């Protein structure tokens, strides 16, 4: 299970809408308690691809975020990105680029009027949806 406080969900959503028509992206960090991931901070990064079909995290911002996590004693838990025109599930490229089986990969779809956010584990090209609680 992964828990995303509503204020962070709002931050992700606002950033994703601002970046339209391109994909938006960022990182999630927090703590693991009894096997559950609790997100304590989200990072809104620049998609250096400036594309509506894929994303790459800005390497400098990525490094700054990792330093900030260390300073705040929280752990990297994964990343998030938006799908402006497709459903909330990993694309073939997303699967190919998912190198960390411990990470949570969150995908926010803005395809429909109501945004959809899901969180996934990806291991050896196999996708498993994980329970996501936004509150
Ligand atoms: Zn994607």
């Amino acid at each position: 299970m992964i828990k995303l406080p509503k204020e962070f969900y709002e931050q992700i959503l606002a950033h994703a809408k601002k970046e339209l028509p391109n994909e938006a992206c960022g990182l999630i960090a927090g703590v693991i308690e009894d096997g559950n991931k609790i997100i304590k901070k989200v990072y809104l990064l620049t998609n250096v691809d400036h594309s509506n079909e894929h994303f790459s995290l800005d390497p400098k911002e990525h490094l700054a975020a990792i330093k900030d996590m260390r300073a705040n004693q929280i752990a990297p838990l994964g990343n998030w990105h938006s799908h402006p025109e497709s459903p909330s599930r990993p694309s073939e490229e997303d699967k190919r680029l998912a190198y960390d089986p411990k990470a949570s990969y969150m995908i926010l779809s803005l395809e429909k009027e109501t945004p959809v956010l899901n969180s996934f584990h990806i291991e050896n090209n196999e996708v498993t949806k994980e329970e996501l609680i936004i509150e």
Side-chain angles (χ1 to χ4, degrees):
M1 185 265 273
I2 183 160
K3 198 161 158 185
L4 177 67
K6 194 152 182 128
E7 56 174 310
F8 298 150
Y9 171 73
E10 300 292 347
Q11 288 176 15
I12 289 173
L13 183 61
H15 187 62
K17 283 184 174 170
K18 187 166 72 78
E19 294 301 309
L20 286 172
N22 293 330
E23 287 195 7
C25 56
L27 298 167
I28 52 175
V31 295
I32 300 175
E33 287 173 6
D34 303 325
N36 295 321
K37 294 174 172 173
I38 320 284
I39 298 173
K40 299 285 188 187
K41 193 162 179 178
V42 297
Y43 297 85
L44 312 174
L45 271 56
T46 304
N47 174 7
V48 292
D49 291 341
H50 301 292
S51 158
N52 65 344
E53 286 178 335
H54 48 95
F55 74 99
S56 301
L57 301 168
D58 180 295
K60 274 190 189 155
E61 291 175 5
H62 193 166
L63 190 63
I66 298 290
K67 282 184 180 163
D68 184 79
M69 289 172 203
R70 284 197 198 123
N72 286 288
Q73 293 178 306
I74 51 178
L77 297 179
N79 67 35
W80 69 270
H81 72 283
S82 66
H83 279 178
E85 294 152 35
S86 56
S88 171
R89 58 169 181 262
S91 65
E92 288 308 312
E93 182 178 76
D94 291 337
K95 288 188 222 171
R96 197 162 47 76
L97 297 175
Y99 60 91
D100 185 356
K102 289 200 290 291
S104 293
Y105 294 95
M106 299 181 115
I107 298 176
L108 175 69
S109 170
L110 298 173
E111 175 194 34
K112 302 263 169 64
E113 201 175 315
T114 307
V116 180
L117 179 68
N118 286 308
S119 186
F120 302 92
H121 285 299
I122 306 173
E123 190 166 7
N124 300 326
N125 230 38
E126 292 244 340
V127 175
T128 322
K129 201 163 143 180
E130 68 182 340
E131 190 190 354
L132 169 66
I133 295 174
I134 303 171
E135 64 177 30

